[in-house]
Amino acid sequence: DLHLSIRRQRQMCIRDRPGQAVVLGYVDYPAFLKVAQEALPRQPGVPSLQELVGTGPSAELVRATEAFGFSGELLPEGMRMQVVMLIRREGLSPEARAFLDVPPITESMFTWIPEDALVLFQSPQIGKQLQRSLDAIRAMPDAARQLEDMEKALGIDIERDLLSWMTGDLAIIVQPVLATTVPGMPVGVSALIGTDRPDDARVSLERLESVLRMGGVLVEAGELQGRPMRMVIDPNGMRVAAYAVGPEVVGIGVPPEALVKSHPERGPERTIRDNPRFQEVLRRLPERRNTLLFIDAQGLWNLVEGQLPPDERETFRRNARPFLDPVRGIGIASEALPGSAVQRGVVFLQITPP
């Protein structure tokens, strides 16, 4: 009956609750929506919830959500928050199920990520994820025509020239750099894309170079600190970006210095695995992670302080650092559980008391 169904949902949402939880909650999602709709009268011109949700795989998942639970824990190393969602898988389309059954990220990508990375975001099988988004766009006639016109104008095919060789994970890294190509830039951003088709990637990227030349942007061979890369040069002659193709990874850096430590053919001497804050944060996140976001808060505070003028630096150190320094690292991850009705997300703040 209804009572047993709600009880089962509640048990599934909180069965893995932490023993040291200080906050614990459960919401019957359909019942909550029903009460909310009854309590809030429909206003003229205001779309209903069904209209706001729309259609497509994401809308299916919203409608299939039965309940969610949440908890907060206080640990010796910091604070962890978890959200668990119970989703009814029966009747879901293959496209919606694909959103749930995302595989875990590959930790081999850590080999190319430097120890001093301030921010790391990693997501698996980026080519397949982008393909699903592209399929959703092509399902809309107007958007499909615009996309086709763009491809014809540029002389490219998105599936052939981009998605076909993106067979691995995507990692986006923000790191401190000493930029000479773009003066005054304290951080750089690099994107690493896993591939098992490096030759196809080279051919496709050469084709994209021709598209850039049409806009007055040149791409030529260059080198930084002994690492070969293709330099992207804007119409003013400034080297604004670079890319390189390795046996397992394609790397793109803005500015080019960002690619030096994360070079696909020669990674950093010390990787993010050597960062103790990263290791502690990772230890408190799910083992099978299908997304990962890590923020080195301590490194970020140090960077901000280093960019301030001397007089403001002392004020920042005296007035702000005592409140910021206890937060050492931040991690966010979702758990990869193929075939499971339960989806879990975890946030962990590494906190060291002063």
Side-chain angles (χ1 to χ4, degrees):
D1 60 11
L2 179 61
H3 176 72
L4 290 176
S5 175
I6 293 175
R7 183 179 178 184
R8 179 186 68 85
Q9 294 173 8
R10 184 175 182 275
Q11 288 176 339
M12 291 186 70
C13 281
I14 66 176
R15 65 185 177 185
D16 296 324
R17 68 189 186 279
Q20 57 272 70
V22 295
V23 177
L24 190 65
Y26 163 81
V27 176
D28 182 322
Y29 187 62
F32 171 78
L33 289 182
K34 181 180 179 181
V35 170
Q37 289 173 334
E38 292 174 351
L40 299 174
R42 178 78 180 273
Q43 299 296 326
V46 178
S48 66
L49 178 64
Q50 297 294 328
E51 293 169 337
L52 288 174
V53 169
T55 59
S58 298
E60 281 189 68
L61 295 178
V62 171
R63 296 188 181 97
T65 300
E66 295 186 319
F68 64 86
F70 56 89
S71 66
E73 310 165 67
L74 295 179
L75 305 172
E77 302 83 4
M79 181 170 64
R80 179 166 59 185
M81 293 157 283
Q82 303 188 52
V83 176
V84 175
M85 298 182 66
L86 179 62
I87 297 177
R88 183 181 64 256
R89 299 179 67 97
E90 294 79 10
L92 289 177
S93 67
E95 293 78 13
R97 287 175 179 267
F99 275 90
L100 297 177
D101 297 333
V102 177
I105 61 173
T106 55
E107 294 194 0
S108 59
M109 185 67 83
F110 297 165
T111 303
W112 289 278
I113 300 170
E115 179 185 19
D116 62 351
L118 299 172
V119 179
L120 164 64
F121 172 77
Q122 187 174 347
S123 183
Q125 296 187 355
I126 187 60
K128 289 185 178 180
Q129 294 193 53
L130 292 175
Q131 183 66 63
R132 285 196 290 269
S133 299
L134 198 63
D135 291 341
I137 293 174
R138 294 194 191 282
M140 298 181 287
D142 291 342
R145 279 193 299 271
Q146 293 177 9
L147 185 62
E148 184 179 354
D149 291 343
M150 182 196 73
E151 288 180 313
K152 288 181 178 179
L154 296 177
I156 64 171
D157 181 287
I158 294 177
E159 280 95 337
R160 179 197 65 196
D161 296 327
L162 291 175
L163 305 188
S164 65
W165 55 265
M166 295 182 177
T167 56
D169 290 9
L170 166 69
I172 298 176
I173 308 149
V174 179
Q175 58 185 295
V177 298
L178 296 174
T180 57
T181 54
V182 183
M185 194 170 185
V187 298
V189 179
S190 55
L192 302 177
I193 303 169
T195 184
D196 57 10
R197 302 174 184 174
D199 293 336
D200 292 345
R202 288 189 183 91
V203 171
S204 297
L205 291 170
E206 287 173 1
R207 189 177 291 116
L208 293 177
E209 287 184 14
S210 301
V211 175
L212 291 176
R213 291 191 192 98
M214 294 167 53
V217 177
L218 299 179
V219 182
E220 62 182 26
E223 185 177 288
L224 274 178
Q225 299 182 27
R227 291 164 172 79
M229 54 187 75
R230 300 286 293 174
M231 297 285 187
V232 180
I233 304 171
D234 70 10
N236 297 320
M238 183 176 291
R239 296 184 296 178
V240 295
Y243 80 85
V245 180
E248 300 175 64
V249 170
V250 174
I252 304 167
V254 181
E257 284 84 357
L259 197 57
V260 170
K261 292 181 182 178
S262 304
H263 196 277
E265 294 181 345
R266 183 180 164 189
E269 294 182 4
R270 292 180 61 84
T271 73
I272 197 167
R273 288 191 179 99
D274 297 309
N275 184 330
R277 294 179 291 279
F278 177 72
Q279 288 293 352
E280 180 59 38
V281 167
L282 209 63
R283 191 168 69 89
R284 293 296 182 177
L285 297 176
E287 291 186 6
R288 284 177 57 87
R289 300 171 290 271
N290 56 18
T291 57
L292 171 65
L293 173 65
F294 167 71
I295 301 173
D296 187 342
Q298 187 69 25
L300 194 59
W301 313 148
N302 293 339
L303 177 72
V304 170
E305 181 177 313
Q307 295 300 306
L308 295 174
D311 55 337
E312 296 180 18
R313 189 178 308 160
E314 180 57 34
T315 302
F316 178 79
R317 186 181 297 128
R318 183 178 59 254
N319 296 336
R321 290 299 293 256
F323 299 97
L324 298 175
D325 279 344
V327 181
R328 315 283 288 182
I330 302 170
I332 303 175
S334 58
E335 189 170 26
L337 294 173
S340 174
V342 177
Q343 303 292 310
R344 183 164 71 117
V346 180
V347 179
F348 176 67
L349 276 67
Q350 183 189 12
I351 300 175
T352 302

